[in-house]
Structure formats: structure tokens, C-alpha cells
């Protein structure tokens, strides 16, 4: 039998490539975005309580209602923005499923989707699997600022969706209020859907405010927000997240979610519903990771890497152009094998694998891991 691949150019995700290499060479793994410390024992106990209480069968298809209510409460409290827990919030199998389901619900063959590059790597295959085409807008290191005139030029009658991500993986930059207003103005009066990937919503530094699409009424009316409890509560392996959108969009989303995963891990949802009643559990995240960013950057301030401090996420981009001419993938592999430190080459997220000589390092690690990593980076 012969089959034509639906994704002929797709390679194994760079996260698996680098984590596997890190493991093989026993390197400090600052590549894939996950903490090397344990999440809150309280939350783990709540999950085990929920299992012992018998919540071990299918959860309701859109998610445990108490959890959806708690999510709605968070949006009310933080953004004075209301989402109806009945029909505007769905609990998903991580943000990845939310992104896939939102794209699949709306993208048809030949629809165009605008993606800012570097971009988290699940967006483009999800568009292509649905027959859509990606219009990339490449942002440049170190500012990664969007030129909204360029966006205006790239919008066509076929543009169905624009995907944004703030705070931004992999650059650690954030969209300003002005960026959001520009996006709102450009999409006003169009049928364009905005997919706003806000998984790092609570990991934002230096007293900056997260600019959620839900703060901008016209944007909110055309937007999906995708979010990740794994990122927020240091349990990425639980693959639990959610999606918010106005009812008309969510009605279509749920049709895909229903036959993609049907429903999401039940005891974890019961536990999260209880856990997020205490806002401190997520509101303290920014200062927690800002400490780690500051520690990491202070430790490497005399190294030969150049950087602009990350404004959000738990990633720091480091420019190595003063150190080597190697392309970023080769250097990332060599540093893993020879120096014992793994990172992510940013070209993996760029259009045409553009190589700006920048590597991404994850600082969601214990202070001890960061010190050991810095010792290596300072000698490069
Ligand atoms: C920008 C971005 N979006 C989505 C995801 C996926 O989130 P989840 O693990 O909840 O599926 C990640 C994970 O690294 C991410 O960095």
C-alpha cells in the first residue's frame, strides 16, 4: 500500500529531539518547557482525594461544571470580563487540544491563517491538516515587535484566522495594549477569528499587565483564548487546559472537542476546581518566575551571550552571535553533547528556518539547576 502523507514536511518536534538528546548525553535540560521541581503537594493530594472519592469515569463533555464556574470567576475577577460557564468555556486536554479544536472547527481548505514567527510549533500543522495555508509574518530578534502595517498588507479576503501568543514562546516578549488595539482595529468589520494563545498569562514580569483579548470588547467577540493548567501549576504532564470564546464560536468548537477527546481527565478537573478557588495559586506565579529569571540572568551577566530580559513565559532567548557562526541547530546539538547543556534553537519556530543565532533556555528549574547551567554557559 502507498499513502500520501498529509504533512509531508513535518519533522519530529524539536522539543522531543532536544529532550531525547539531553537524556542520552546526561545534559542539563533547559530545552523543553517544563519545571524540574514538583508542583504543589496540596494539588496532588486533591487529585488523589478525587480519585478516592470515585471520580474515575468520564467527566461531562465540556468539563466539570464547578471548574468552568471557577474559570469564569477568574476572568470576572482579573479582567472584568464575563464568560458563561454553561456554553462559553470548555476544559481541554491541554492548550494543544484547544488550539487544534479551534482551528479544526473553522479552517477549511484554502483559508489563510496569519501566524507570527517564531511560532509555537503546533499551530502550523493544525492549520495544514485542515487544508488551510499559513501566511507567516517573521518577527526579528531581539524585540520581536509586530509591524501592524505589514499585517494589514498580508490580510486578504481569504484570511480566516490570526493566531497570537502573548506572553510569547519562544522570545519571552509580550504584546502591549497598543498592539492589541491595532489588532482590534485591523480585524474590525471582518470575519477574521483570532486565536489568542495565553498559556503564559500568569507568568509576566516587571509589573507588566497581561493584555488578554478579553479586555478588548471587539476582539473578544471574535476570539478564542487557549490556556494551560499544566503551565500554570507545574504539572505539564497532566495535559489539562481550557478554552474560552463567545457562544457562537464555542458552539462550533465543542463539536470538534466532542469527537476529538470527548472529555478530559476527571479527578484532575475536580481537584483544579477546588485549587483555583485561591487566586494566590496563580497570582504568585509572576514573582516566583521573575526571581528565577533574575537569578539566571545575574548568573550569566558576564558570559559572552547577549540578551534582552524576558518579559514573560519561563524562557530566555540568548544571542550567541559573538561566540560562534554555527547555525543554531548545530550549536544546540553540540552544546548538549559536548558541554552538557540542552537548549532549543529558535530557527525551529521561524519561517524558512531563519537562523538569527539565538537559543532558547527554559528557566523553570531549581536554583541549583540554574547555577549549574550558568557555570557551563559562562565557560562557552
Ligand atoms: C505557547 C504555547 N502554547 C501551547 C502550549 C501547549 O500547552 P499544553 O501543554 O497545555 O498542551 C505550549 C507548551 O509548551 C506553549 O508554549
Amino acid at each position: 500500500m502507498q499513502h500520501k502523507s498529509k504533512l509531508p514536511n513535518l519533522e519530529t518536534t524539536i522539543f522531543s529531539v532536544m529532550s531525547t538528546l539531553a537524556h542520552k548525553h546526561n545534559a542539563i535540560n533547559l530545552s523543553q518547557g517544563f519545571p524540574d521541581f514538583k508542583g504543589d503537594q496540596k494539588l496532588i493530594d486533591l487529585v488523589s482525594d478525587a480519585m478516592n472519592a470515585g471520580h474515575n469515569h468520564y467527566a461531562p463533555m465540556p468539563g466539570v461544571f464547578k471548574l468552568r464556574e471557577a474559570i469564569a470567576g477568574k476572568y470576572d475577577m482579573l479582567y472584568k470580563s464575563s464568560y458563561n460557564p454553561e456554553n462559553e468555556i470548555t476544559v481541554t486536554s491541554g492548550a494543544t487540544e484547544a488550539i487544534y479544536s479551534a482551528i479544526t472547527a473553522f479552517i477549511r481548505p484554502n483559508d489563510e491563517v496569519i501566524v507570527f514567527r517564531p511560532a509555537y510549533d503546533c499551530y502550523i500543522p493544525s492549520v495544514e491538516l485542515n487544508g488551510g495555508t499559513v501566511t507567516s509574518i517573521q518577527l526579528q530578534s531581539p524585540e520581536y515587535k509586530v509591524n501592524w502595517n505589514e499585517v494589514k498588507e498580508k490580510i486578504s479576503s481569504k484570511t480566516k484566522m490570526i493566531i497570537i501568543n502573548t506572553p510569547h514562546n519562544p522570545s519571552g516578549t509580550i504584546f502591549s495594549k497598543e498592539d492589541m488595539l491595532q489588532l482590534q482595529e485591523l480585524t474590525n468589520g471582518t470575519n477574521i477569528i483570532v486565536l489568542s494563545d495565553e498559556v503564559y498569562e500568569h507568568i509576566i514580569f516587571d509589573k507588566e499587565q497581561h493584555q488578554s483579548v478579553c479586555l478588548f470588547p471587539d476582539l473578544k467577540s471574535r476570539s478564542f483564548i487557549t490556556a494551560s493548567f499544566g503551565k500554570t501549576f507545574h504539572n505539564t504532564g497532566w495535559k489539562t487546559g481550557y478554552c474560552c470564546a463567545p457562544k457562537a464560536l464555542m458552539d462550533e468548537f465543542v463539536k470538534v472537542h466532542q469527537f476529538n477527546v470527548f472529555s478530559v481527565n476527571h479527578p484532575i478537573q475536580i481537584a483544579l476546581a477546588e485549587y483555583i478557588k485561591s487566586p494566590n495559586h496563580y497570582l504568585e506565579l509572576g514573582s516566583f518566575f521573575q526571581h528565577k529569571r533574575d537569578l539566571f540572568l545575574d548568573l550569566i551577566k558576564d558570559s559572552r551571550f547577549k540578551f534582552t530580559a524576558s518579559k514573560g513565559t519561563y524562557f530566555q532567548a540568548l544571542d550567541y552571535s559573538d561566540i560562534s557562526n554555527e547555525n543554531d541547530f548545530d550549536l544546540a546539538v553540540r552544546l548538549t553533547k559536548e558541554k552538557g547543556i540542552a537548549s532549543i534553537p529558535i530557527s525551529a519556530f521561524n519561517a524558512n528556518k531563519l537562523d538569527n543565532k539565538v537559543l532558547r533556555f527554559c528557566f523553570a528549574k531549581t536554583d541549583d539547576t540554574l547555577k549549574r547551567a550558568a557555570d557551563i554557559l559562562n565557560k562557552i
Side-chain angles (χ1 to χ4, degrees), residues 57-189:
H57 296 291
Y58 295 124
M61 187 267 283
V64 166
F65 191 68
K66 275 189 181 320
L67 178 55
R68 288 184 280 143
E69 267 185 329
I71 294 167
K74 186 187 88 167
Y75 281 88
D76 264 336
M77 183 189 74
L78 290 185
Y79 307 110
K80 304 209 173 2
S81 181
S82 87
Y83 284 99
N84 185 343
E86 290 280 357
N87 48 30
E88 298 189 316
I89 296 174
T90 302
V91 180
T92 60
S93 183
T96 309
E97 189 249 316
I99 291 163
Y100 180 79
S101 295
I103 291 172
T104 301
F106 285 94
I107 298 305
R108 293 187 162 86
N110 303 320
D111 282 343
E112 288 178 8
V113 178
I114 291 181
V115 177
F116 298 101
R117 312 293 293 276
Y120 183 63
D121 68 350
C122 79
Y123 306 153
I124 292 174
S126 303
V127 172
E128 290 177 349
L129 267 177
N130 287 290
T133 58
V134 168
T135 303
S136 284
I137 295 184
Q138 180 66 52
L139 309 182
Q140 296 300 335
S141 159
E143 299 295 328
Y144 297 93
K145 277 299 280 174
V146 175
N147 172 349
W148 292 101
N149 285 329
E150 187 182 351
V151 182
K152 191 174 177 185
E153 281 163 20
K154 293 263 169 81
I155 291 178
S156 78
S157 57
K158 290 185 178 169
T159 306
K160 183 72 190 176
M161 184 180 274
I162 298 178
I163 302 181
I164 63 169
N165 170 219
T166 181
H168 182 239
N169 176 11
S171 71
T173 55
I174 53 176
F175 271 15
S176 63
K177 183 173 177 190
E178 184 52 32
D179 286 317
M180 302 305 275
L181 289 171
Q182 295 265 6
L183 177 64
Q184 178 164 257
E185 196 181 315
L186 279 184
T187 50
N188 213 349

Side-chain angles (χ1 to χ4, degrees), residues 225-288:
I225 294 175
T226 57
S228 170
F229 289 118
K231 295 290 176 188
T232 303
F233 296 131
H234 319 309
N235 290 305
T236 56
W238 291 2
K239 291 299 289 186
T240 316
Y242 63 88
C243 184
C244 303
K247 182 176 180 305
L249 296 178
M250 190 52 83
D251 283 350
E252 295 305 308
F253 177 97
V254 165
K255 292 177 188 171
V256 178
H257 168 77
Q258 171 165 243
F259 292 116
N260 186 5
V261 296
F262 178 66
S263 73
V264 173
N265 191 307
H266 199 168
I268 288 176
Q269 291 191 61
I270 301 276
L272 284 168
E274 185 60 31
Y275 192 72
I276 68 171
K277 278 188 195 156
S278 305
N280 281 353
H281 289 146
Y282 48 84
L283 294 180
E284 286 168 359
L285 213 59
S287 56
F288 175 78

